Amino acid sequence: MLLKTNPKKHRVKVLSSRRRCRLLPLISLVGISLWAGCKELQSYMVQPEAIFVLGGHEEREYFAAQLATRHRDLPIWVSSGSPQSHAKRIFREAGISSARLYLDYQARDTVTNFTTLVDTFKKQGIDSVYLVTSANHMNRARVIGEIVFGTQGIILKPMAVECDRPPEPFKKILRDVARSLLWVGTGKTGETLIVP
């Protein structure tokens, strides 16, 4: 007795390596889009527990002072902003109690704005913050924040301050993403590697 088999019926389709290479970017794009969408939804739904201001331009502090008048129960953290007396005056003139204001001058750049305060926020039970920075700086700040704060469960709600400066170059964002990932893996920010 002879068994007949149909070779067409048992053929297994294997994706060619060329087709797999074309699918990888698509799958990556879908994954990144889903992650970004989840972050946007999370940011939209969160009720921040603090105002976090990245120093560098005093208009950020003026903006944060106005934001603080609408959210009277939130502490305000300014990371390496204006000199202490000037920063205190900005908030005092807006009617903000100095008991709500925390000025921290440890940071030397945007990555260290986040890495120097993340443990303090966690110890205080702060799980979400308004992130205040200039509009041209927000993309870089947000990506760094999502990495540094995000790995510690702190959610960002971006509040961009309008400015007339051009957006930052993409290579600066990539550099600081690498530094943030270095911090996640080693606890070091690589700030000594920065070329001005």
Side-chain angles (χ1 to χ4, degrees):
M1 182 163 139
L2 211 84
L3 286 174
K4 290 185 181 181
T5 59
N6 186 349
K8 290 181 183 179
K9 191 176 184 182
H10 299 291
R11 237 184 239 167
V12 176
K13 245 187 173 177
V14 177
L15 288 177
S16 69
S17 61
R18 183 179 293 175
R19 184 176 271 181
R20 279 184 290 202
C21 287
R22 280 189 260 153
L23 282 177
L24 186 60
L26 178 64
I27 292 168
S28 298
L29 182 63
V30 168
I32 290 169
S33 297
L34 286 172
W35 176 81
C38 286
K39 287 294 178 184
E40 277 300 317
L41 184 61
Q42 203 176 36
S43 172
Y44 177 76
M45 297 180 73
V46 73
Q47 190 63 356
E49 300 167 336
I51 298 170
F52 180 48
V53 187
L54 303 185
H57 298 281
E58 70 176 12
E59 71 260 15
R60 298 173 188 176
E61 292 161 14
Y62 282 109
F63 180 93
Q66 292 306 308
L67 182 63
T69 62
R70 294 192 307 269
H71 299 281
R72 297 199 168 273
D73 57 335
L74 298 183
I76 305 112
W77 286 82
V78 181
S79 178
S80 294
S82 299
Q84 192 171 14
S85 60
H86 185 63
K88 285 182 175 181
R89 184 172 48 79
I90 290 171
F91 287 94
R92 184 176 58 246
E93 288 175 358
I96 306 300
S97 164
S98 62
R100 293 175 58 197
L101 185 61
Y102 300 89
L103 303 175
D104 184 273
Y105 295 95
Q106 299 174 75
R108 293 189 197 102
D109 54 53
T110 306
V111 174
T112 56
N113 281 138
F114 291 94
T115 61
T116 57
L117 286 172
V118 67
D119 289 337
T120 302
F121 285 1
K122 285 308 292 178
K123 285 176 187 166
Q124 292 190 7
I126 296 172
D127 293 324
S128 56
V129 297
Y130 283 112
L131 173 62
V132 177
T133 193
S134 303
N136 72 316
H137 183 241
M138 184 57 80
N139 287 337
R140 182 163 61 106
R142 187 162 184 197
V143 171
I144 295 165
E146 293 292 357
I147 295 169
V148 175
F149 278 18
T151 58
Q152 302 302 310
I154 300 172
I155 300 168
L156 305 175
K157 187 169 191 121
M159 301 296 284
V161 180
E162 290 303 316
C163 69
D164 57 1
R165 292 179 295 280
E168 294 180 323
F170 190 67
K171 67 180 182 179
K172 214 171 182 182
I173 295 171
L174 286 177
R175 178 201 67 200
D176 284 353
V177 163
R179 289 182 58 214
S180 299
L181 293 171
L182 176 69
W183 177 83
V184 169
T186 67
K188 297 182 187 324
T189 63
E191 68 186 275
T192 56
L193 304 174
I194 297 176
V195 177

